[in-house]
Amino acid sequence: MSQTGSQGSYLRHQASGLCIPCTKPGCNRWFKNRSGYTQHMNAKHPIFLHPHAVTQASVPCSPSPALSFDLDFGDANDTDLGPEDPLQPTAQFVGPGDRLYRNYHPLLSARPCDREGNFLPRGTPPPPLSDKASDDWTPYKSRVEFELADYLFTKNQTPMHSIDQLLNIWAASLIEGGSKTTLFPDHRALYKTIDDTPLGDIKWQSFSVKYTGEIPEQGVAPWMTDTYDVWFRDPRNVVNNMLSNPDYAMEIDLQPYREYATENDERQWQDFMSGDWAWSQADKISEDPDTHGSAFVPVILGSDKTTVSVATGQNDYYPLYASIGNVQNTVRRAHRNAVAVVGFLAMPKTTKQHAETPGFRSFRRQIFHSSLSFILKNLKPGMTKPEIVRFGDGHYRRVIYGLGPYIADYEEQVLLACIVRNWCLSHSNDLDEISLLRSRTHADALIEECDFDTLWKEYGLINMLVPFTNDFPRADIHELLAPDLLHQIIKGAYKDHLVTWVEKYLLRTHGKMQANIILDDIDRRIAAVPPFPGLRRFPQGRHFKQWTGDDSKALMKVYLPAIEGHIPLDVVRAFRAFLEFCYLVRRNVITEKSLGEIQDALTRFHHYREIFKTTGTVLTFSLPRQHAMSHYIYLIRLFGAPNGLCSSITESKHIKAVKEPWRRSSRYKALGQMLLTNQRLDKLAASRVDFRTRGMLSGTCLSSILAALEPSDRQCAQPAQTNVEEQTNADQHDPELPSMSRSASASILDPDVSADSEDIDVPMSVLAHVELARTSQGKKRPQSIPALANELHIPDLAELVQQFLTEQLYPNKDPTQIPTGIMDRPRYDGRIRVFHSAASTFFALSDLSGTGGMKREHIRVSPRWRNEYARKDCVFVITDPNVPGMRGMDIAQVLTFFSFRLRGVRYPCAVVRWFNRIGDTPDEDTGMWMVSPSFNGNHAHYAVIHVEAIFRSAHLIPVYGTELLPSLVKSHHVLDIFTLFYVNKYADHHAFEIACVKKLEKETRDFLMNRAQAIRPQMTMLPTDYVGIYQVADIMEAIESTRVNMTDNFNMLFTLSNANTKYAEQGVMLGMAAKEAAAENMTQLQDLRAQIQSVQDKIERTQRWLT
């Protein structure tokens, strides 16, 4: 049965009779095959098993899931199976709180064995990973030599002549200091030591290909006589190195599994082995009893042409990458040696005269498939007969290889599937119809029965090509084409389609002159967006020639608010639906509920995009990349979350594997030098993992040397300490934030962006944590509350600090026991320390983050950011931990960070200006929440809060309206000029989750409650006149009486707000006179808004107080 829709069956089985019965008493179900049987047992008769506790500290925890039964493996295991059915999958709880459970494949169970493949009894500890001594640095003489070689070659990429100069200076200093030995004499010795490393040593090989068909006697095309070299290294060895890497031994899935929520049995997809394809492959493999107990290892491939230099001529390369489906998505996305270059494919070229001939095009396709088949041939024996491989946890296991998904863009997917361009990759029909799923069996049958023209025109097949997957068991290229978020969604459907269509619509509707004016205004709006951690800037708008994937991603985050007001609402809604689709499929964990949300977003997008056709902007939606969106639900079920198979993984790998090695080469016959560079990088990476596993890289290089010295020598060898005052002054310009293991994101290039956002390679311990910078601003900023009040122009700052301290010191007191008089409240008149930044560390697995899912961003508050203008970031503040998402948070702009000590307790604080949410739901057109500045009377609403009440940064974008934005308005003006803002939920995936969450997970709710208790919940939002009110009936009556007029008041507010925005914009253009007029109007508006807000605040906060 083939798939005919999103709800159809997505696994194809050969028809057969009902031959397998359910073995559970009272169940009379029969099944055609084992897959159907296991799905039934999984859903109807699961067995739950808690992981076994390890009682011996010396026994490492194996990543293999425990089984509730033992399989009969012949002589290797004579344990009685007991009453349980060996075909039934084991259900095992995973994660904290037993909120999830997994059903693991019962037959491909990844059981540990010895070197000969004999299965070991359960609980047998693995042999040591290495039998080398803890001081064996072979082939290096010491840690100093290794660290130096790794730094010069890997981290600094020092040229050869610079290495020689540095080593010469170093040797002179050592000899002068009385040492009789030196380090490497020159770069040749350093390179030779790296080359002598046995770890990670996989030699490069090559083969040549050439045309072997009929050659005409005259007019021979050059490509027919040329020879093309293909370089590769054994992918089997590369895969084995990945499996044996202890660096991610605990982040690898050894069995196919299906994951469910314990509460409602809702299934979810995350890493690759959670998909149905891996389970289906395991079913096929386990039909051979000799494979039982083995581990299935899918080999994921990817290739993509890349250009290293345009200015110096033709410098294109065609790298082939390999990974394994067992590693978790976060590991593959962070690389960590889980993605390796295994080949450089040939790129045949010829003269323009012959470049478009059918013969050359066919030869170029054939050389691609034949090269892949040859490179992968050493994996083929292990696809049917288990091989013995050592894993990173120290155990040996039997493994069965298989060809997994292929990561490629659409052009290369067409080449892989041997189909005609502009045809659907999944269905054997054009893009306007849904028909039978493509398959190897169906394609072979069509090729057998149909002629060339019929195949080309009616089925989109090229019969002259044979996919390389036909040479391998269980491999069907039509099932192995992975979803590609980067090229299909971000670059394709978004930038190439929707953004281009907006420009075409404006040209068609307004004419060229007016359209250009509007497009310039859109550029100004994009450039005026306030800064945000991780957000690329567009200071000149979006009109530049060379677009990268990062540029497209950045534009997605800010484009919708910029075009609103210039385009019809249906276009806005189409963009909203498309963006929500993108962010939903980008989630790291996708549930069955998420699949419904994805389908809903796709349906809305298909509905609202029709405006582009009705206005004549486009004639058809038969576009391959946009059509691919309809297959994402099917592909998620097969392969898990798409972010683990995106072509951005291979594109970012280009930098380390191709572009940087090319820059280090002499440019003459560069490929050979690039191969050698990659080999040396692999050796150094393998050595570092080995040394770290043996505990030889703890501390720094200097600290390890000092620890080995005698105490008297250690004191003499201590390095000179930097003057504390000098260090403090140096840090004030760009204060260093709390130290933590960091690794800069490869996709962030802007200095401002890289300074504001970092990926943290540490395990997840909290959902979020905020900490002030380590260094304060000293005497450059105020050092007392009155001085800070003068600088910030907040006369009642001392009272706000009093109110803050009252709530901190009396968190659980009855309101009648809390001091209400100003003189009775706790006061602070001492010294304060002012900071320009704080760091928020939070769990954001769907975003670019460290392997533990942790991300750190810097919240900046500086009066002169980069010595130019003031920067005051906005934040999410937790105000009600019991309410999910935005409903439990408020938006505030941080005016400054400061800290002080009172009664031995340090209080890290922030002075903030509040924003009020507009309504109880997001805007229905854009899907974003709206906020406006809060006022108390005629003054802005300020508060002092604990920094732990801050969740993370928030990104506000003005509601620009329909008026043109003056060119004088810059990004640092908008938070002061505009009075209505969107809370940008598209700023990143974590912000999207905050805006979309409707129900708190228990873990999240507990975290928020614990944090609220730890920081003594902030009550600064509650006016003091609420204290002592206990007459519930009177309060509720007041609430009901004021609620009637709220709708009319807010309608008036919106009208005046838009008018005020227009006046403020004109004020920028027309000078001080217009500014004064706008200011007078703003004062009147603020009075009205303050009255309305006062009522709303009383309603909302009193309700919170009562609950």
Side-chain angles (χ1 to χ4, degrees):
M1 178 68 69
S2 300
Q3 181 195 24
T4 58
S6 61
Q7 301 298 324
S9 172
Y10 47 84
L11 291 177
R12 299 193 297 275
H13 301 288
Q14 296 180 353
S16 62
L18 299 175
C19 57
I20 301 178
C22 178
T23 57
K24 286 295 180 181
C27 187
N28 299 319
R29 292 290 301 276
W30 287 72
F31 306 93
K32 294 181 180 179
N33 48 45
R34 184 174 297 153
S35 177
Y37 174 86
T38 54
Q39 291 184 40
H40 168 74
M41 298 299 288
N42 158 45
K44 300 300 182 181
H45 314 296
I47 294 179
F48 292 93
L49 177 69
H50 285 273
H52 295 293
V54 179
T55 58
Q56 297 181 4
S58 60
V59 179
C61 181
S62 171
S64 303
L67 297 177
S68 64
F69 55 85
D70 291 321
L71 300 177
D72 186 1
F73 294 103
D75 297 336
N77 181 18
D78 57 0
T79 305
D80 185 12
L81 290 176
E84 295 298 338
D85 184 355
L87 293 179
Q88 181 172 345
T90 307
Q92 176 178 316
F93 287 110
V94 294
D98 291 345
R99 295 185 302 108
L100 301 172
Y101 69 91
R102 289 179 179 178
N103 290 336
Y104 290 97
H105 197 277
L107 299 179
L108 293 194
S109 52
R111 292 195 59 188
C113 63
D114 57 23
R115 291 174 181 267
E116 288 70 37
N118 300 314
F119 289 111
L120 300 174
R122 182 178 298 141
T124 302
L129 285 171
S130 176
D131 56 1
K132 296 179 182 179
S134 60
D135 58 351
D136 184 359
W137 294 92
T138 306
Y140 305 93
K141 296 178 182 178
S142 64
R143 177 175 180 175
V144 175
E145 274 202 358
F146 168 71
E147 295 275 19
L148 178 62
D150 190 37
Y151 175 78
L152 293 178
F153 195 85
T154 303
K155 298 178 181 178
N156 199 53
Q157 302 181 21
T158 312
M160 292 182 291
H161 66 276
S162 297
I163 293 177
D164 290 341
Q165 186 175 5
L166 177 62
L167 292 174
N168 187 18
I169 297 172
W170 204 334
S173 66
L174 290 174
I175 294 173
E176 187 178 35
S179 175
K180 296 182 179 180
T181 60
T182 61
L183 297 174
F184 306 104
D186 55 23
H187 74 274
R188 295 181 183 85
L190 185 147
Y191 290 170
K192 185 179 185 304
T193 304
I194 298 175
D195 294 337
D196 290 341
T197 304
L199 298 172
D201 188 14
I202 305 177
K203 303 295 183 184
W204 285 93
Q205 310 170 54
S206 69
F207 62 88
S208 300
V209 291
K210 64 179 301 183
Y211 177 70
T212 58
E214 182 179 353
I215 299 178
E217 297 181 358
Q218 295 181 350
V220 179
W223 61 268
M224 293 183 175
T225 58
D226 288 343
T227 300
Y228 306 95
D229 293 330
V230 177
W231 286 87
F232 74 102
R233 48 184 176 175
D234 190 347
R236 177 175 169 273
N237 293 337
V238 173
V239 168
N240 289 351
N241 278 356
M242 293 179 184
L243 293 173
S244 63
N245 192 333
D247 197 30
Y248 44 77
M250 303 306 296
E251 298 165 288
I252 191 169
D253 298 315
L254 301 180
Q255 293 179 247
Y257 65 89
R258 289 166 175 161
E259 191 166 80
Y260 299 85
T262 306
E263 180 181 2
N264 55 8
D265 293 328
E266 181 185 29
R267 188 174 176 187
Q268 66 180 35
W269 292 263
Q270 184 171 357
D271 299 310
F272 179 77
M273 297 298 280
S274 67
D276 290 323
W277 182 87
W279 191 286
S280 176
Q281 289 287 301
D283 283 344
K284 295 176 183 178
I285 294 169
S286 60
E287 292 175 359
D288 180 0
D290 292 339
T291 64
H292 292 183
S294 301
F296 175 46
V297 180
V299 179
I300 297 175
L301 301 172
S303 57
D304 185 25
K305 298 175 184 176
T306 183
T307 301
V308 294
S309 176
V310 178
T312 57
Q314 186 62 42
N315 290 288
D316 295 336
Y317 293 96
Y318 205 166
L320 174 67
Y321 299 103
S323 181
I324 53 176
N326 308 87
V327 296
Q328 296 174 3
N329 287 350
T330 52
V331 177
R332 190 178 303 110
R333 284 156 53 193
H335 298 310
R336 285 181 60 192
N337 305 315
V339 178
V341 58
V342 295
F344 282 86
L345 304 176
M347 299 179 63
K349 300 187 183 301
T350 188
T351 59
K352 290 184 178 181
Q353 177 185 354
H354 303 95
E356 299 300 325
T357 59
F360 177 70
R361 290 202 301 265
S362 178
F363 170 71
R364 192 170 52 189
R365 297 185 184 112
Q366 289 173 347
I367 205 175
F368 173 81
H369 284 278
S370 60
S371 297
L372 288 177
S373 181
F374 188 89
I375 291 172
L376 300 171
K377 66 178 182 178
N378 284 354
L379 288 171
K380 189 172 183 180
M383 294 181 179
T384 53
K385 182 179 179 180
E387 295 184 356
I388 312 302
V389 177
R390 192 171 194 183
F391 281 67
D393 63 352
H395 276 298
Y396 291 90
R397 292 180 176 86
R398 300 178 180 182
V399 300
I400 291 288
Y401 304 114
L403 290 187
Y406 202 110
I407 302 174
D409 61 16
Y410 177 76
E411 298 299 330
E412 200 161 4
Q413 288 177 333
V414 166
L415 173 61
L416 286 161
C418 302
I419 66 171
V420 180
R421 290 182 72 252
N422 294 323
W423 279 70
C424 178
L425 296 165
S426 301
H427 293 95
S428 55
N429 213 323
D430 59 26
L431 301 177
D432 294 324
E433 299 180 16
I434 300 297
S435 61
L436 295 175
L437 281 173
R438 294 188 187 273
S439 68
R440 174 178 173 179
T441 303
H442 186 226
D444 291 344
L446 290 175
I447 292 174
E448 185 72 21
E449 297 295 331
C450 304
D451 57 22
F452 177 85
D453 289 339
T454 303
L455 290 171
W456 184 284
K457 295 178 181 179
E458 297 187 16
Y459 297 99
L461 280 175
I462 303 175
N463 65 345
M464 297 179 296
L465 300 176
V466 179
F468 77 96
T469 52
N470 285 19
D471 295 333
F472 300 91
R474 305 182 309 277
D476 185 347
I477 190 60
H478 302 292
E479 295 179 349
L480 298 180
L481 297 177
D484 183 11
L485 290 167
L486 178 62
H487 291 95
Q488 290 174 344
I489 306 300
I490 298 171
K491 285 186 174 181
Y494 185 75
K495 185 187 77 69
D496 294 341
H497 296 166
L498 292 177
V499 174
T500 302
W501 292 353
V502 168
E503 295 189 18
K504 289 182 178 179
Y505 167 82
L506 294 174
L507 287 169
R508 185 178 183 85
T509 304
H510 300 283
K512 186 175 181 179
M513 180 177 295
Q514 184 62 28
N516 286 336
I517 294 174
I518 295 175
L519 290 173
D520 287 340
D521 183 62
I522 293 174
D523 282 345
R524 288 193 296 271
R525 293 180 175 190
I526 293 173
V529 167
F532 180 76
L535 180 66
R536 283 173 173 257
R537 304 285 299 141
F538 291 91
Q540 304 300 325
R542 78 219 184 290
H543 286 295
F544 43 87
K545 296 181 179 179
Q546 188 66 33
W547 277 82
T548 66
D550 291 326
D551 295 328
S552 299
K553 294 175 187 177
L555 185 64
M556 290 177 68
K557 300 175 181 181
V558 299
Y559 191 64
L560 178 55
I563 61 176
E564 188 193 22
H566 292 311
I567 56 175
L569 282 181
D570 276 7
V571 176
V572 173
R573 292 166 180 165
F575 269 86
R576 173 196 172 178
F578 180 86
L579 290 172
E580 289 179 351
F581 175 90
C582 295
Y583 281 71
L584 288 169
V585 299
R586 181 63 173 76
R587 282 177 173 171
N588 194 63
V589 178
I590 298 177
T591 65
E592 291 177 341
K593 179 182 178 181
S594 300
L595 294 181
E597 294 172 346
I598 292 170
Q599 183 60 54
D600 174 68
L602 182 62
T603 302
R604 286 186 286 114
F605 172 66
H606 286 165
H607 171 74
Y608 288 118
R609 72 176 179 179
E610 288 293 329
I611 189 172
F612 290 110
K613 185 181 290 186
T614 57
T615 56
T617 304
V618 296
L619 301 177
T620 179
F621 296 127
S622 295
L623 304 166
R625 293 174 178 85
Q626 204 168 126
H627 172 80
M629 296 169 63
S630 61
H631 299 304
Y632 265 66
I633 293 177
Y634 165 68
L635 294 173
I636 289 169
R637 292 181 181 274
L638 282 185
F639 301 136
N643 64 7
L645 296 174
C646 181
S647 60
S648 60
I649 296 173
T650 55
E651 287 212 352
S652 61
K653 187 66 177 177
H654 286 337
I655 298 173
K656 294 294 183 183
V658 182
K659 296 184 178 182
E660 288 182 354
W662 181 85
R663 296 187 190 109
R664 297 168 66 165
S665 71
S666 66
R667 312 295 198 272
Y668 176 71
K669 294 184 178 180
L671 182 57
Q673 302 169 58
M674 294 162 59
L675 301 179
L676 184 58
T677 297
N678 274 285
Q679 187 165 322
R680 288 170 175 165
L681 289 171
D682 289 344
K683 288 174 177 283
L684 286 166
S687 295
R688 176 165 288 277
V689 170
D690 177 57
F691 295 148
R692 183 168 56 241
T693 303
R694 288 192 276 149
M696 300 165 63
L697 294 179
S698 58
T700 65
C701 191
L702 177 60
S703 66
S704 64
I705 296 296
L706 293 176
L709 296 176
E710 294 294 333
S712 58
D713 297 332
R714 191 181 309 162
Q715 185 174 1
C716 297
Q718 285 286 357
Q721 297 294 324
T722 304
N723 181 274
V724 176
E725 185 66 26
E726 292 178 358
Q727 182 65 39
T728 302
N729 292 336
D731 289 340
Q732 287 173 5
H733 176 68
D734 192 7
E736 185 176 359
L737 291 159
S739 61
M740 191 175 291
S741 174
R742 66 181 70 176
S743 61
S745 169
S747 66
I748 298 176
L749 303 178
D750 190 310
D752 284 355
V753 172
S754 61
D756 286 345
S757 179
E758 298 170 308
D759 309 330
I760 308 300
D761 284 330
V762 296
M764 185 194 75
S765 56
V766 295
L767 292 178
H769 171 67
V770 178
E771 189 175 4
L772 295 181
R774 289 192 301 180
T775 55
S776 66
Q777 294 303 303
K779 297 180 180 179
K780 292 184 177 181
R781 296 294 304 278
Q783 295 183 293
S784 66
I785 298 296
L788 184 62
N790 290 333
E791 181 184 278
L792 299 178
H793 305 291
I794 306 177
D796 58 346
L797 181 60
E799 296 180 17
L800 297 177
V801 173
Q802 276 189 312
Q803 191 173 359
F804 165 78
L805 284 173
T806 300
E807 299 302 335
Q808 294 292 307
L809 298 174
Y810 304 97
N812 300 315
K813 293 286 186 179
D814 187 280
T816 58
Q817 300 178 9
I818 299 177
T820 57
I822 296 179
M823 300 303 297
D824 297 330
R825 293 183 183 178
R827 300 182 60 184
Y828 182 78
D829 299 319
R831 181 176 178 270
I832 65 172
R833 301 175 65 199
V834 176
F835 300 83
H836 280 180
S837 59
S840 174
T841 305
F842 52 91
F843 184 66
L845 200 56
S846 295
D847 280 300
L848 208 63
S849 61
T851 54
M854 300 303 291
K855 185 180 182 67
R856 183 173 67 180
E857 65 183 15
H858 300 171
I859 304 168
R860 306 287 187 181
V861 183
S862 175
R864 289 187 60 82
W865 175 246
R866 303 300 187 195
N867 290 324
E868 293 183 1
Y869 52 84
R871 174 174 173 177
K872 299 175 182 178
D873 289 351
C874 296
V875 293
F876 290 99
V877 180
I878 302 171
T879 52
D880 191 343
N882 289 307
V883 180
M886 271 290 294
R887 293 177 177 85
M889 299 183 188
D890 282 281
I891 303 298
Q893 183 183 21
V894 181
L895 304 183
T896 193
F897 291 109
F898 71 98
S899 70
F900 61 91
R901 285 189 177 274
L902 180 64
R903 303 176 187 176
V905 178
R906 179 176 181 265
Y907 294 96
C909 309
V911 181
V912 300
R913 177 186 181 183
W914 291 111
F915 286 78
N916 292 327
R917 290 193 306 273
I918 305 300
D920 293 329
T921 59
D923 174 57
E924 64 178 8
D925 296 324
T926 63
M928 292 183 283
W929 290 85
M930 300 172 70
V931 296
S932 62
S934 177
F935 287 86
N936 273 336
N938 295 329
H939 304 287
H941 189 177
Y942 300 109
V944 175
I945 65 173
H946 198 288
V947 295
E948 281 295 329
I950 297 173
F951 191 61
R952 60 156 303 184
S953 293
H955 191 220
L956 301 188
I957 299 182
V959 179
Y960 290 109
T962 58
E963 300 296 327
L964 299 181
L965 184 70
S967 59
L968 295 177
V969 177
K970 304 300 180 184
S971 61
H972 52 280
H973 295 145
V974 294
L975 290 176
D976 298 323
I977 292 178
F978 288 89
T979 59
L980 197 60
F981 299 87
Y982 288 121
V983 181
N984 185 12
K985 74 174 184 178
Y986 308 113
D988 56 35
H989 294 275
H990 189 256
F992 181 81
E993 298 301 329
I994 292 175
C996 294
V997 66
K998 297 179 181 179
K999 178 182 178 181
L1000 282 179
E1001 296 288 347
K1002 183 179 183 301
E1003 180 183 359
T1004 305
R1005 184 169 59 252
D1006 292 345
F1007 158 75
L1008 294 176
M1009 288 298 296
N1010 291 336
R1011 172 188 271 197
Q1013 294 174 3
I1015 65 175
R1016 298 166 181 174
Q1018 305 300 313
M1019 301 298 295
T1020 54
M1021 291 282 291
L1022 189 65
T1024 55
D1025 58 353
Y1026 284 5
V1027 178
I1029 299 177
Y1030 298 104
Q1031 300 299 323
V1032 177
D1034 293 342
I1035 296 174
M1036 296 309 298
E1037 183 179 354
I1039 291 174
E1040 189 61 29
S1041 64
T1042 55
R1043 190 184 300 276
V1044 177
N1045 297 324
M1046 292 303 296
T1047 302
D1048 294 337
N1049 289 341
F1050 268 104
N1051 289 335
M1052 185 183 301
L1053 170 63
F1054 280 122
T1055 302
L1056 291 178
S1057 177
N1058 290 332
N1060 176 67
T1061 301
K1062 178 178 178 181
Y1063 292 148
E1065 293 170 356
Q1066 293 174 348
V1068 176
M1069 294 188 299
L1070 301 178
M1072 293 304 299
K1075 284 185 178 180
E1076 292 175 359
E1080 181 179 355
N1081 175 266
M1082 182 178 293
T1083 301
Q1084 298 174 2
L1085 172 64
Q1086 290 172 353
D1087 291 339
L1088 175 61
R1089 294 174 67 247
Q1091 296 173 18
I1092 297 174
Q1093 191 59 47
S1094 176
V1095 176
Q1096 186 189 28
D1097 288 349
K1098 187 169 184 178
I1099 292 173
E1100 294 179 354
R1101 293 166 194 163
T1102 304
Q1103 284 178 325
R1104 293 181 188 174
W1105 180 262
L1106 294 174
T1107 57

